[in-house]
């Protein structure tokens, strides 16, 4: 199994400690925790008009088993490892040709055209020299502006008073979890991506973040956001600039605003996202970056040239049942046309027991008549047993 060298170094860092202190390390390993989960996920997509390998009707179920082990802490070091194995349970069409192989499931679960059996979901060392600094090196899940999903990375988080610092270098990215397996791939050859962020908390209600993300010889993204919170109401205002290193006509800007509140047990929220009329707003990898801004299940055109998106959602819990309903409209430029898309999604989550949970999502996408693709709906369901 090929995993980034820093992941292997991370594992060897713990293992190499046996020379210096075998007894202490043995106790650290004994103090470790083992956990795991069995999952079964189902998805079906139905298009009014099929178009190519991606935009076609599919239906499949994939099961997975994940086993996680976390050591205790030794000399401020700990190791986390989690491996996940997949198997296809059934496919509506096991011979269909998708974008990544054969069989319906290969669109979401693939490795060089074949379903992957097992891979490392997490494999990282954590170093905490004090309560203010945390360093993680290896394969880990990251969710931050323009670096998202599974990453082979080094991440440093530090806090000094009211100032928080985030520093990340990532070399590879992918998706490894129950609903998706997309193999790890290099970012920008062997050069990777760098991010530095600074968050200042002014009061308990107001904070601001400034960040810079650099993809060497490709592009830089700089941004800033302000967060306001007053009682149960929160407001986020975010502005970002993307600068291409070789072609200034690809330079773009993005505005992102979101407001949320709580009313009588409901949690409504609304947002607005606007991309420059001159160019699309690119992250370093469209499939894995920037998705903490996009609220939708799909949201395929949110970063398109001239895209203007409005969305409105509401969340509500009823005992063990959680629910979210989201509607959004995106207008975007395609060639000489201005097109429009509506997307509606309902997410439901239900705790059957403390260990067994079910999640369901239904999405309806209404495409513009001039679009090359058609209207479609998507249903996904996941059952997870944790131990």
């Amino acid at each position: 199994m090929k995993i980034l060298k820093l992941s292997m170094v991370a594992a060897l860092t713990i293992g190499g400690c046996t020379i210096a202190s075998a007894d202490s390390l043995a106790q650290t390993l004994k103090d470790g925790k083992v956990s795991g989960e069995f999952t079964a996920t189902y998805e079906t997509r139905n298009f009014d008009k099929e178009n190519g390998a991606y935009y076609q009707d599919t239906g499949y179920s994939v099961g997975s088993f994940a086993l996680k082990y976390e050591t205790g802490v030794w000399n401020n070091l700990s190791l986390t490892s989690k491996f996940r194995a997949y198997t296809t349970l059934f496919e509506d069409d096991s011979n269909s040709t998708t974008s990544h192989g054969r069989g319906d499931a290969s669109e979401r679960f693939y490795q060089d055209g074949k379903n992957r059996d097992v891979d490392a979901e997490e494999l990282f060392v954590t170093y905490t020299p004090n309560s203010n600094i945390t360093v993680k090196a290896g394969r880990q899940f990251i969710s931050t502006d323009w670096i998202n999903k599974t990453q082979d990375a080094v991440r440093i988080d530090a806090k000094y008073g009211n100032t928080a610092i985030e520093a990340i270098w990532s070399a590879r990215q992918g998706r490894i979890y129950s609903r998706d397996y997309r193999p790890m791939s290099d970012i920008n050859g062997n050069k990777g991506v760098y991010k530095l962020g600074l968050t200042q908390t002014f009061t308990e209600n107001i904070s601001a973040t400034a960040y810079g993300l650099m993809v060497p010889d490709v592009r830089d993204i700089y941004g800033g956001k302000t967060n306001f919170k007053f009682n149960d109401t929160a407001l986020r205002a975010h502005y970002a600039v993307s600068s291409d290193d070789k072609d200034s006509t690809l330079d773009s800007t993005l505005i992102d605003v979101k407001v949320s509140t709580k009313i009588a047990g409901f949690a409504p929220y609304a947002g607005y996202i606007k991309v420059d009329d001159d160019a699309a707003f690119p992250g370093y990898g469209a499939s894995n970056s920037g998705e903490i801004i996009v609220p939708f299940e799909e949201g395929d055109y949110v970063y398109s040239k001239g895209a203007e998106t409005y969305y409105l959602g509401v969340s509500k819990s009823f005992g063990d049942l959680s629910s979210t309903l989201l509607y959004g409209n995106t207008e975007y430029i395609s060639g000489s046309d201005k097109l429009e898309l509506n997307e509606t999604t309902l997410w439901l989550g239900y705790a059957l027991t403390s260990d067994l949970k079910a999640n369901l999502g239904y999405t309806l996408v209404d495409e513009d008549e001039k679009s090359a693709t058609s209207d479609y709906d998507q249903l996904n369901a996941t059952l997870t047993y944790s131990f």
Side-chain angles (χ1 to χ4, degrees):
M1 182 185 303
K2 182 181 178 182
I3 300 179
L4 184 71
K5 290 182 180 179
L6 65 88
S7 296
M8 300 306 297
V9 171
L12 291 173
T13 299
I14 294 291
C17 294
T18 54
I19 300 174
S21 180
D23 292 340
S24 298
L25 182 58
Q27 187 60 47
T28 298
L29 298 176
K30 289 180 181 179
D31 292 339
K33 297 184 297 183
V34 176
S35 60
E37 64 179 35
F38 291 94
T39 70
T41 187
Y42 168 81
E43 180 172 302
T44 179
R45 307 177 84 198
N46 298 287
F47 290 85
D48 286 0
K49 182 176 63 177
E50 294 185 314
N51 182 12
Y54 180 75
Y55 296 103
Q56 63 173 313
D57 295 349
T58 56
Y60 62 85
S61 179
V62 170
S64 69
F65 169 68
L67 188 63
K68 183 174 184 177
Y69 173 68
E70 301 170 89
T71 70
V73 178
W74 182 82
N75 281 4
N76 302 319
L77 288 166
S78 63
L79 172 68
T80 298
S81 61
K82 183 178 182 181
F83 290 83
R84 185 176 292 275
Y86 299 92
T87 185
T88 300
L89 301 178
F90 83 87
E91 296 172 301
D92 280 351
D93 187 347
S94 59
N95 294 313
S96 66
T97 301
T98 72
S99 304
H100 297 285
R102 188 169 297 279
D104 286 350
S106 65
E107 188 63 64
R108 292 289 187 269
F109 299 86
Y110 63 89
Q111 171 70 46
D112 298 330
K114 299 178 180 179
N115 287 5
R116 182 68 176 223
D117 294 325
V118 63
D119 205 346
E121 184 172 342
E122 295 178 321
L123 184 58
F124 62 88
V125 160
T126 302
Y127 176 60
T128 51
N130 55 58
S131 60
N132 296 321
I133 300 175
T134 301
V135 181
K136 291 184 178 181
R139 181 162 298 178
Q140 56 192 288
F141 186 90
I142 295 178
S143 183
T144 185
D145 290 307
W146 313 117
I147 299 181
N148 199 24
K149 309 297 183 183
T150 307
Q151 305 282 328
D152 283 339
V154 177
R155 176 173 184 166
I156 303 172
D157 290 291
K159 188 172 183 179
Y160 300 96
N162 294 322
T163 304
I165 300 171
E166 174 190 64
I168 300 172
W169 170 71
S170 182
R172 304 177 76 211
Q173 63 180 2
R175 303 187 188 188
I176 305 173
Y177 38 83
S178 61
R179 277 195 58 202
D180 225 343
Y181 178 81
R182 307 191 188 189
M184 304 297 290
S185 59
D186 292 340
I187 301 172
N188 192 25
N190 60 358
K191 298 177 183 178
V193 59
Y194 300 81
K195 181 184 178 183
L196 180 63
L198 179 69
T199 298
Q200 182 68 33
T201 301
F202 300 103
T203 70
E204 63 178 1
N205 298 321
I206 303 174
S207 66
T209 299
Y211 65 83
L213 180 139
M214 291 131 288
V215 190
D217 302 324
V218 178
R219 67 175 58 87
D220 300 327
I221 299 177
Y222 299 98
K225 65 172 68 175
T226 304
N227 292 289
F228 301 91
K229 185 176 181 181
F230 302 97
N231 298 323
D232 291 329
T233 301
L235 171 66
R236 177 184 76 207
H238 179 196
Y239 180 78
V241 177
S242 177
S243 177
D244 193 274
D245 287 358
K246 299 178 181 179
D247 187 354
S248 61
T249 64
L250 299 178
D251 293 353
S252 186
T253 60
L254 176 141
I255 298 171
D256 159 43
V257 180
K258 180 182 178 182
V259 62
S260 61
T261 190
K262 294 180 181 179
I263 304 172
F266 291 86
Y269 58 96
Y272 172 76
I273 305 169
K274 178 68 175 75
V275 172
D276 197 309
D277 288 341
D278 294 329
F281 195 95
Y284 64 89
S287 64
N288 292 291
S289 64
E291 293 191 22
I292 66 170
I293 295 175
V294 178
F296 305 111
E297 180 74 29
E298 297 298 316
D300 293 337
Y301 300 104
V302 172
Y303 294 126
S304 297
K305 177 181 177 180
E308 188 170 28
T309 300
Y310 295 88
Y311 62 88
L312 178 64
V314 60
S315 298
K316 171 68 175 175
S317 293
F318 305 90
D320 292 329
L321 175 66
S322 61
S323 63
T324 297
L325 179 63
L326 173 66
Y327 168 80
N329 172 271
T330 299
E331 293 185 352
Y332 61 99
I333 299 173
S334 178
S336 58
D337 295 323
K338 191 167 188 178
L339 306 183
E340 183 177 3
L341 174 144
N342 298 306
E343 181 173 335
T344 305
T345 295
L346 173 66
W347 290 285
L348 298 174
Y350 186 72
L352 299 167
T353 69
S354 60
D355 300 321
L356 184 62
K357 296 179 173 60
N359 290 280
L360 182 144
Y362 177 73
T363 299
L364 181 63
V365 177
D366 181 10
E367 289 269 8
D368 195 288
E369 293 181 355
K370 297 180 181 179
S371 173
T373 58
S374 70
D375 299 350
Y376 65 93
D377 64 275
Q378 174 178 295
L379 175 70
N380 63 75
T382 302
L383 189 66
T384 303
Y385 174 75
S386 304
F387 61 90

Coordinates of all heavy atoms in Angstrom, one line a residue, residues 80-146:
T80 N -2.5 7.7 15.7 CA -3.9 7.3 15.4 C -3.8 6.5 14.0 O -3.2 7.0 13.1 CB -4.8 8.5 15.2 OG1 -4.9 9.2 16.5 CG2 -6.2 8.1 14.7
S81 N -4.4 5.4 14.0 CA -4.4 4.6 12.7 C -5.9 4.1 12.5 O -6.5 3.6 13.4 CB -3.5 3.4 12.7 OG -3.8 2.5 13.8
K82 N -6.3 4.2 11.3 CA -7.7 3.7 10.9 C -7.6 3.2 9.5 O -7.3 3.9 8.6 CB -8.7 4.8 11.1 CG -10.2 4.4 10.8 CD -11.1 5.6 11.0 CE -12.6 5.1 10.8 NZ -13.5 6.3 11.0
F83 N -8.1 2.0 9.3 CA -8.1 1.3 8.0 C -9.5 0.9 7.7 O -10.3 0.5 8.5 CB -7.2 0.1 8.0 CG -5.7 0.5 8.1 CD1 -5.1 0.7 9.3 CD2 -4.9 0.6 6.9 CE1 -3.8 1.0 9.4 CE2 -3.6 0.9 7.0 CZ -3.0 1.1 8.2
R84 N -9.9 1.1 6.4 CA -11.2 0.8 6.0 C -11.2 -0.1 4.8 O -10.4 0.1 3.8 CB -12.0 2.1 5.6 CG -13.5 1.8 5.2 CD -14.2 3.1 5.0 NE -14.4 3.9 6.2 CZ -15.3 3.8 7.0 NH1 -16.3 2.9 6.9 NH2 -15.4 4.6 8.1
A85 N -12.0 -1.2 4.8 CA -12.1 -2.2 3.7 C -13.5 -2.0 3.1 O -14.5 -1.8 3.8 CB -11.9 -3.6 4.3
Y86 N -13.6 -2.1 1.8 CA -14.8 -2.0 1.0 C -15.2 -3.3 0.3 O -14.3 -4.0 -0.1 CB -14.7 -0.9 0.0 CG -14.4 0.5 0.5 CD1 -13.1 1.0 0.7 CD2 -15.4 1.4 0.9 CE1 -12.8 2.2 1.2 CE2 -15.1 2.6 1.4 CZ -13.8 3.1 1.5 OH -13.6 4.3 2.0
T87 N -16.5 -3.5 0.1 CA -16.9 -4.5 -0.8 C -18.2 -4.1 -1.4 O -19.1 -3.5 -0.8 CB -17.1 -5.9 0.0 OG1 -17.5 -6.9 -1.0 CG2 -18.2 -5.8 1.0
T88 N -18.4 -4.4 -2.7 CA -19.6 -4.0 -3.4 C -20.7 -5.1 -3.1 O -20.5 -6.3 -3.3 CB -19.4 -4.0 -4.9 OG1 -18.4 -3.0 -5.2 CG2 -20.7 -3.7 -5.7
L89 N -21.8 -4.6 -2.6 CA -22.9 -5.5 -2.2 C -23.8 -5.8 -3.4 O -24.2 -7.0 -3.6 CB -23.7 -4.9 -1.1 CG -23.0 -4.6 0.2 CD1 -23.9 -3.9 1.3 CD2 -22.3 -5.9 0.8
F90 N -24.2 -4.8 -4.2 CA -24.9 -5.1 -5.4 C -24.8 -3.8 -6.3 O -24.5 -2.7 -5.8 CB -26.3 -5.5 -5.1 CG -27.3 -4.3 -4.9 CD1 -27.9 -3.7 -6.0 CD2 -27.5 -3.8 -3.7 CE1 -28.7 -2.6 -5.8 CE2 -28.4 -2.7 -3.5 CZ -29.0 -2.1 -4.5
E91 N -25.1 -4.0 -7.6 CA -25.2 -2.9 -8.6 C -26.3 -3.2 -9.5 O -26.6 -4.4 -9.9 CB -23.9 -2.9 -9.4 CG -22.7 -2.5 -8.5 CD -21.3 -2.6 -9.3 OE1 -21.1 -3.7 -9.8 OE2 -20.6 -1.6 -9.4
D92 N -27.1 -2.2 -9.9 CA -28.1 -2.3 -10.9 C -27.5 -2.8 -12.2 O -28.1 -3.6 -12.9 CB -28.8 -1.0 -11.1 CG -29.9 -0.7 -10.0 OD1 -30.1 -1.6 -9.2 OD2 -30.4 0.4 -10.0
D93 N -26.3 -2.3 -12.5 CA -25.7 -2.7 -13.8 C -24.2 -2.9 -13.5 O -23.5 -1.9 -13.3 CB -25.9 -1.6 -14.8 CG -25.4 -2.1 -16.2 OD1 -24.6 -3.1 -16.3 OD2 -25.7 -1.4 -17.2
S94 N -23.8 -4.1 -13.3 CA -22.4 -4.4 -13.0 C -21.5 -4.2 -14.2 O -20.2 -4.3 -14.1 CB -22.2 -5.8 -12.4 OG -22.7 -6.7 -13.3
N95 N -22.0 -4.0 -15.4 CA -21.2 -3.9 -16.6 C -21.2 -2.5 -17.2 O -20.6 -2.2 -18.2 CB -21.7 -4.9 -17.7 CG -21.6 -6.3 -17.3 OD1 -20.5 -6.7 -16.9 ND2 -22.6 -7.1 -17.4
S96 N -21.9 -1.5 -16.5 CA -22.0 -0.2 -17.1 C -20.6 0.5 -17.0 O -19.8 0.2 -16.1 CB -23.0 0.7 -16.3 OG -22.5 0.8 -14.9
T97 N -20.3 1.3 -18.0 CA -19.0 2.0 -18.0 C -19.2 3.4 -17.4 O -20.0 4.2 -17.9 CB -18.5 2.1 -19.4 OG1 -18.3 0.8 -20.0 CG2 -17.2 2.8 -19.5
T98 N -18.5 3.7 -16.3 CA -18.6 5.0 -15.6 C -17.3 5.7 -15.9 O -16.4 5.3 -16.7 CB -18.8 4.8 -14.1 OG1 -17.5 4.3 -13.5 CG2 -19.9 3.8 -13.8
S99 N -17.1 6.9 -15.3 CA -15.9 7.7 -15.5 C -14.7 7.0 -14.9 O -13.6 7.4 -15.3 CB -16.1 9.1 -14.8 OG -17.3 9.7 -15.3
H100 N -14.8 6.0 -14.1 CA -13.7 5.5 -13.4 C -13.6 4.0 -13.4 O -12.9 3.3 -12.6 CB -13.6 6.0 -11.9 CG -13.5 7.4 -11.8 ND1 -12.3 8.1 -12.0 CD2 -14.4 8.4 -11.5 CE1 -12.5 9.4 -11.9 NE2 -13.7 9.6 -11.5
G101 N -14.4 3.3 -14.3 CA -14.3 1.9 -14.3 C -15.6 1.2 -14.8 O -16.4 1.8 -15.5
R102 N -15.8 0.0 -14.4 CA -17.0 -0.8 -14.8 C -17.9 -1.1 -13.6 O -17.4 -1.5 -12.5 CB -16.5 -2.0 -15.5 CG -17.7 -2.8 -16.2 CD -17.1 -3.9 -17.1 NE -16.4 -3.3 -18.2 CZ -16.9 -2.8 -19.3 NH1 -18.2 -2.8 -19.5 NH2 -16.1 -2.4 -20.2
G103 N -19.2 -1.0 -13.8 CA -20.1 -1.2 -12.7 C -20.5 0.1 -12.0 O -19.7 1.0 -11.9
D104 N -21.8 0.2 -11.6 CA -22.3 1.4 -11.1 C -21.5 2.0 -9.9 O -21.4 3.2 -9.8 CB -23.8 1.2 -10.6 CG -24.8 1.1 -11.8 OD1 -24.4 1.4 -12.9 OD2 -25.9 0.7 -11.6
A105 N -21.0 1.1 -9.0 CA -20.4 1.6 -7.8 C -19.0 2.3 -8.1 O -18.5 3.0 -7.3 CB -20.2 0.5 -6.8
S106 N -18.5 2.0 -9.3 CA -17.1 2.5 -9.6 C -17.1 4.0 -9.8 O -16.0 4.6 -9.8 CB -16.6 1.8 -10.9 OG -17.3 2.1 -12.0
E107 N -18.2 4.6 -9.9 CA -18.2 6.1 -10.0 C -17.8 6.8 -8.7 O -17.2 7.8 -8.7 CB -19.6 6.6 -10.4 CG -19.6 8.1 -10.7 CD -18.8 8.5 -11.9 OE1 -19.0 8.0 -13.1 OE2 -17.8 9.2 -11.7
R108 N -18.1 6.1 -7.6 CA -17.8 6.7 -6.3 C -16.7 5.9 -5.5 O -16.1 6.4 -4.6 CB -19.1 6.7 -5.4 CG -20.1 7.7 -5.9 CD -19.7 9.1 -5.7 NE -20.8 10.1 -6.0 CZ -21.0 10.6 -7.2 NH1 -20.1 10.3 -8.2 NH2 -21.9 11.5 -7.4
F109 N -16.5 4.6 -5.9 CA -15.6 3.8 -5.2 C -14.7 3.2 -6.3 O -15.0 2.2 -7.0 CB -16.3 2.6 -4.4 CG -17.2 3.1 -3.4 CD1 -18.5 3.5 -3.7 CD2 -16.8 3.3 -2.0 CE1 -19.4 3.9 -2.7 CE2 -17.6 3.7 -1.0 CZ -18.9 4.1 -1.4
Y110 N -13.4 3.6 -6.4 CA -12.6 3.2 -7.4 C -11.1 3.4 -7.1 O -10.7 4.1 -6.2 CB -12.9 4.0 -8.7 CG -12.6 5.4 -8.7 CD1 -11.4 5.9 -9.0 CD2 -13.6 6.3 -8.2 CE1 -11.1 7.3 -8.9 CE2 -13.3 7.7 -8.2 CZ -12.1 8.2 -8.5 OH -11.8 9.5 -8.4
Q111 N -10.3 2.6 -7.8 CA -8.8 2.7 -7.8 C -8.3 2.2 -9.1 O -8.3 1.0 -9.4 CB -8.2 1.9 -6.6 CG -6.7 1.9 -6.6 CD -6.1 3.2 -6.3 OE1 -6.5 3.9 -5.3 NE2 -5.1 3.6 -7.0
D112 N -7.9 3.2 -9.9 CA -7.4 2.8 -11.3 C -8.4 1.9 -12.0 O -8.0 0.9 -12.6 CB -6.0 2.1 -11.1 CG -5.0 3.0 -10.5 OD1 -5.0 4.2 -10.7 OD2 -4.1 2.4 -9.8
G113 N -9.6 2.2 -11.9 CA -10.6 1.5 -12.7 C -11.2 0.3 -12.0 O -12.0 -0.4 -12.5
K114 N -10.7 0.0 -10.8 CA -11.2 -1.1 -10.0 C -11.6 -0.7 -8.6 O -11.0 0.2 -8.1 CB -10.1 -2.2 -9.9 CG -9.6 -2.8 -11.3 CD -8.5 -3.8 -11.1 CE -8.0 -4.3 -12.4 NZ -6.9 -5.3 -12.2
N115 N -12.6 -1.4 -8.0 CA -12.9 -1.1 -6.7 C -11.7 -1.4 -5.7 O -11.0 -2.4 -5.9 CB -14.1 -2.0 -6.2 CG -15.4 -1.5 -6.8 OD1 -15.4 -0.6 -7.7 ND2 -16.5 -2.1 -6.4
R116 N -11.5 -0.5 -4.8 CA -10.4 -0.7 -3.9 C -10.9 -1.6 -2.7 O -12.0 -1.4 -2.2 CB -10.0 0.6 -3.3 CG -8.8 0.6 -2.4 CD -7.5 0.1 -3.1 NE -6.4 0.2 -2.2 CZ -5.2 0.6 -2.6 NH1 -5.0 1.1 -3.8 NH2 -4.2 0.6 -1.8
D117 N -10.1 -2.5 -2.2 CA -10.4 -3.4 -1.1 C -10.2 -2.7 0.2 O -11.1 -2.8 1.1 CB -9.7 -4.7 -1.2 CG -10.1 -5.5 -2.5 OD1 -11.2 -5.4 -2.9 OD2 -9.2 -6.2 -3.0
V118 N -9.0 -2.2 0.4 CA -8.7 -1.6 1.7 C -7.7 -0.5 1.6 O -6.9 -0.5 0.7 CB -8.1 -2.7 2.6 CG1 -6.8 -3.3 2.1 CG2 -7.9 -2.2 4.1
D119 N -7.8 0.5 2.5 CA -6.8 1.6 2.4 C -6.8 2.3 3.8 O -7.7 2.0 4.6 CB -7.2 2.7 1.4 CG -6.0 3.5 0.9 OD1 -5.0 3.4 1.6 OD2 -6.2 4.2 -0.1
A120 N -5.8 3.1 4.0 CA -5.7 3.8 5.3 C -6.6 5.0 5.3 O -6.4 5.9 4.4 CB -4.2 4.2 5.6
E121 N -7.5 5.1 6.2 CA -8.4 6.3 6.3 C -7.7 7.4 7.1 O -7.8 8.6 6.8 CB -9.7 5.9 6.9 CG -10.7 7.1 7.0 CD -12.1 6.6 7.4 OE1 -12.4 5.4 7.3 OE2 -12.9 7.5 7.8
E122 N -7.0 6.9 8.1 CA -6.2 7.8 9.0 C -4.9 7.1 9.4 O -4.9 5.9 9.6 CB -6.9 8.2 10.3 CG -8.2 9.0 10.1 CD -8.9 9.3 11.4 OE1 -8.9 8.4 12.3 OE2 -9.4 10.4 11.6
L123 N -3.8 7.8 9.4 CA -2.5 7.3 9.9 C -1.6 8.5 10.2 O -0.9 9.0 9.3 CB -1.9 6.4 8.8 CG -0.5 5.7 9.3 CD1 -0.8 4.9 10.6 CD2 0.0 4.9 8.2
F124 N -1.7 9.0 11.4 CA -1.0 10.2 11.7 C -0.5 10.2 13.2 O -1.1 9.6 14.0 CB -1.8 11.5 11.5 CG -3.1 11.6 12.3 CD1 -3.0 12.2 13.6 CD2 -4.3 11.1 11.9 CE1 -4.2 12.3 14.4 CE2 -5.5 11.2 12.6 CZ -5.4 11.8 13.9
V125 N 0.6 10.9 13.4 CA 1.1 11.2 14.7 C 0.7 12.5 15.2 O 0.7 13.5 14.4 CB 2.7 11.1 14.7 CG1 3.3 11.8 15.9 CG2 3.1 9.7 14.7
T126 N 0.3 12.6 16.4 CA -0.1 13.9 17.1 C 1.0 14.3 18.1 O 1.4 13.4 18.9 CB -1.4 13.8 17.7 OG1 -2.4 13.5 16.8 CG2 -1.8 15.2 18.4
Y127 N 1.5 15.5 18.0 CA 2.5 16.0 19.0 C 1.9 17.2 19.7 O 1.6 18.2 19.0 CB 3.8 16.3 18.3 CG 4.9 16.9 19.2 CD1 5.3 16.2 20.3 CD2 5.4 18.2 18.9 CE1 6.3 16.8 21.1 CE2 6.4 18.7 19.7 CZ 6.8 18.0 20.8 OH 7.8 18.6 21.6
T128 N 1.8 17.2 21.0 CA 1.3 18.3 21.7 C 2.3 18.7 22.8 O 2.2 18.2 24.0 CB -0.1 17.9 22.4 OG1 0.1 16.7 23.1 CG2 -1.2 17.7 21.3
P129 N 3.2 19.6 22.5 CA 4.2 20.0 23.5 C 3.7 20.7 24.6 O 4.2 20.7 25.7 CB 5.2 20.8 22.6 CG 4.4 21.3 21.5 CD 3.4 20.2 21.2
N130 N 2.5 21.4 24.4 CA 1.8 22.1 25.5 C 0.4 22.2 25.1 O 0.0 21.8 24.0 CB 2.5 23.4 25.8 CG 2.6 24.3 24.6 OD1 1.6 24.6 23.9 ND2 3.8 24.7 24.3
S131 N -0.4 22.9 25.9 CA -1.9 23.0 25.7 C -2.2 23.9 24.6 O -3.3 24.0 24.1 CB -2.6 23.4 27.0 OG -2.1 24.7 27.4
N132 N -1.2 24.7 24.1 CA -1.5 25.7 23.1 C -1.1 25.3 21.6 O -1.4 25.9 20.7 CB -0.7 27.0 23.4 CG -1.2 27.6 24.7 OD1 -2.3 27.7 25.0 ND2 -0.2 28.1 25.5
I133 N -0.3 24.2 21.5 CA 0.2 23.8 20.2 C -0.2 22.3 19.9 O 0.0 21.4 20.8 CB 1.7 24.0 20.1 CG1 2.1 25.4 20.3 CG2 2.2 23.5 18.8 CD1 3.5 25.7 20.3
T134 N -0.7 22.0 18.7 CA -1.0 20.7 18.3 C -0.4 20.5 16.9 O -0.7 21.3 16.0 CB -2.5 20.4 18.3 OG1 -3.0 20.5 19.6 CG2 -2.7 18.9 17.8
V135 N 0.4 19.4 16.7 CA 1.0 19.1 15.4 C 0.5 17.7 15.0 O 0.6 16.8 15.8 CB 2.5 19.2 15.4 CG1 3.1 18.9 14.0 CG2 3.0 20.5 15.9
K136 N -0.1 17.6 13.8 CA -0.5 16.3 13.3 C 0.2 16.1 11.9 O 0.2 17.0 11.1 CB -2.0 16.3 13.0 CG -2.8 16.3 14.3 CD -4.3 16.1 14.0 CE -5.1 16.1 15.3 NZ -6.6 15.9 15.0
A137 N 0.9 14.9 11.8 CA 1.6 14.6 10.6 C 1.2 13.3 10.1 O 1.3 12.3 10.8 CB 3.1 14.6 10.9
G138 N 0.7 13.2 8.8 CA 0.3 12.0 8.3 C -1.1 12.1 7.6 O -1.6 13.2 7.3
R139 N -1.7 11.0 7.3 CA -3.0 11.0 6.7 C -4.1 11.3 7.7 O -4.3 10.7 8.7 CB -3.3 9.6 6.1 CG -4.7 9.6 5.3 CD -4.7 8.4 4.4 NE -3.7 8.5 3.3 CZ -3.5 7.6 2.4 NH1 -4.2 6.5 2.3 NH2 -2.5 7.8 1.5
Q140 N -4.9 12.3 7.4 CA -5.9 12.9 8.3 C -7.0 13.6 7.5 O -6.9 13.9 6.3 CB -5.2 13.9 9.2 CG -4.5 15.0 8.5 CD -3.6 15.9 9.4 OE1 -4.1 16.6 10.2 NE2 -2.3 15.7 9.2
F141 N -8.2 13.7 8.2 CA -9.3 14.4 7.6 C -9.2 15.9 8.0 O -9.0 16.2 9.2 CB -10.6 13.9 8.1 CG -11.8 14.5 7.4 CD1 -12.3 13.9 6.2 CD2 -12.4 15.6 7.9 CE1 -13.4 14.5 5.6 CE2 -13.5 16.2 7.3 CZ -14.0 15.6 6.1
I142 N -9.2 16.8 7.0 CA -9.1 18.2 7.2 C -10.3 18.9 6.6 O -10.7 18.6 5.5 CB -7.8 18.8 6.7 CG1 -6.6 18.2 7.4 CG2 -7.7 20.3 6.8 CD1 -5.2 18.7 6.8
S143 N -10.8 19.9 7.3 CA -11.9 20.7 6.8 C -11.7 22.2 7.1 O -11.9 22.6 8.2 CB -13.3 20.3 7.5 OG -14.3 21.0 6.9
T144 N -11.1 22.8 6.1 CA -10.8 24.3 6.2 C -10.9 24.9 4.8 O -11.0 24.1 3.9 CB -9.4 24.4 6.8 OG1 -9.1 25.8 7.0 CG2 -8.3 23.9 5.9
D145 N -10.9 26.2 4.7 CA -11.1 26.8 3.4 C -10.0 26.3 2.5 O -8.8 26.5 2.7 CB -11.0 28.3 3.6 CG -12.2 28.9 4.3 OD1 -13.3 28.6 3.9 OD2 -12.0 29.6 5.3
W146 N -10.4 25.7 1.3 CA -9.6 25.3 0.2 C -8.8 24.1 0.5 O -8.0 23.7 -0.4 CB -8.8 26.5 -0.3 CG -9.6 27.7 -0.5 CD1 -9.5 28.9 0.2 CD2 -10.8 27.9 -1.3 NE1 -10.5 29.8 -0.1 CE2 -11.3 29.2 -1.1 CE3 -11.4 27.1 -2.2 CZ2 -12.4 29.7 -1.7 CZ3 -12.6 27.5 -2.8 CH2 -13.0 28.8 -2.6

